[in-house]
Amino acid sequence: MKNPDKQQWVILMVSGLMFVGFGVFRYLPIVRQNIAVGAQMDQQKLTVEQITSSGALLPELTQQKKKLEAELDAFTRKIPEGRNFAQLWQEIADVMNACRLTDQLVQPGTELTSDTVCCIPLTIECKGTAEQIFMFFQSLEKMDRLIRVDDILLENDSGFSAQVKLTAKANVYYQPSDARND
């Protein structure tokens, strides 16, 4: 009877080793893999949620982009690339002539340059009635190019002829030619 007990112990030990081997070599790797897949799925769910929330912002960002492009277009129109002095001087002279101003003088000052926007100070002098000068400023405001008037001095004619002498300090802006190539 001792032999069957020994055989039973051997069978029990072999079956126990098989269970331990199955647990260590088969079950534990599957459990670890299951946990890793679960963690990866959770991470992917977070990523999908982030993408979804970011995707919800796309219409707003598209709208902002269009608005900024419109502002950039307006900036480029008002502050063109290159000086274009001849064209600007001609436009100012045409505006002065259209307003029937006399003793016209447009004199540029020392140019101020930078990498993005450059400025040319102007001294503008002319004579006309207050209404003509007002029309002149309205026409300057409607010009395609940005002209900022800083100082205005209006002097009455000493002969009481309703003529006013205008002396104004203004600035004209432009983008350097190589600023947009960067």
Side-chain angles (χ1 to χ4, degrees):
M1 290 231 185
K2 289 184 179 184
N3 283 341
D5 283 337
K6 250 184 179 181
Q7 279 183 337
Q8 287 178 347
W9 280 108
V10 170
I11 291 174
L12 283 174
M13 298 252 310
V14 169
S15 62
L17 284 174
M18 285 177 56
F19 280 123
V20 169
F22 176 78
V24 170
F25 295 113
R26 288 305 243 172
Y27 181 73
L28 285 179
I30 291 174
V31 168
R32 285 187 191 135
Q33 186 178 15
N34 190 18
I35 291 171
V37 167
Q40 189 175 13
M41 286 178 61
D42 290 342
Q43 181 64 35
Q44 286 180 351
K45 283 180 186 177
L46 286 174
T47 303
V48 167
E49 288 174 8
Q50 288 174 342
I51 290 171
T52 303
S53 65
S54 296
L57 296 175
L58 280 177
E60 181 181 336
L61 290 174
T62 303
Q63 210 171 23
Q64 285 180 355
K65 179 186 174 218
K66 288 178 183 177
K67 180 182 175 187
L68 290 174
E69 284 175 344
E71 288 176 12
L72 178 63
D73 187 43
F75 174 82
T76 304
R77 275 194 320 270
K78 288 284 192 180
I79 303 177
E81 185 177 337
R83 293 182 188 152
N84 301 326
F85 284 141
Q87 180 185 359
L88 175 66
W89 271 217
Q90 185 62 48
E91 286 179 31
I92 293 173
D94 290 344
V95 167
M96 287 179 152
N97 291 334
C99 295
R100 297 186 310 262
L101 297 172
T102 60
D103 298 336
Q104 301 173 4
L105 172 70
V106 179
Q107 184 175 10
T110 306
E111 186 175 338
L112 304 171
T113 60
S114 76
D115 292 340
T116 55
V117 177
C118 299
C119 171
I120 305 167
L122 297 177
T123 301
I124 301 172
E125 294 181 6
C126 58
K127 286 185 181 178
T129 64
E131 183 179 323
Q132 291 169 331
I133 291 176
F134 183 72
M135 283 179 20
F136 171 67
F137 282 122
Q138 284 181 325
S139 298
L140 282 182
E141 185 178 12
K142 292 176 185 174
M143 286 180 68
D144 289 337
R145 191 145 175 190
L146 177 65
I147 299 177
R148 189 184 80 197
V149 178
D150 291 329
D151 295 323
I152 299 173
L153 176 64
L154 297 172
E155 296 177 26
N156 254 344
D157 187 20
S158 60
F160 300 107
S161 63
Q163 291 289 308
V164 178
K165 179 182 179 187
L166 166 69
T167 305
K169 302 285 183 193
N171 291 309
V172 176
Y173 301 93
Y174 71 91
Q175 298 178 52
S177 295
D178 60 345
R180 301 182 98 206
N181 296 333
D182 291 339

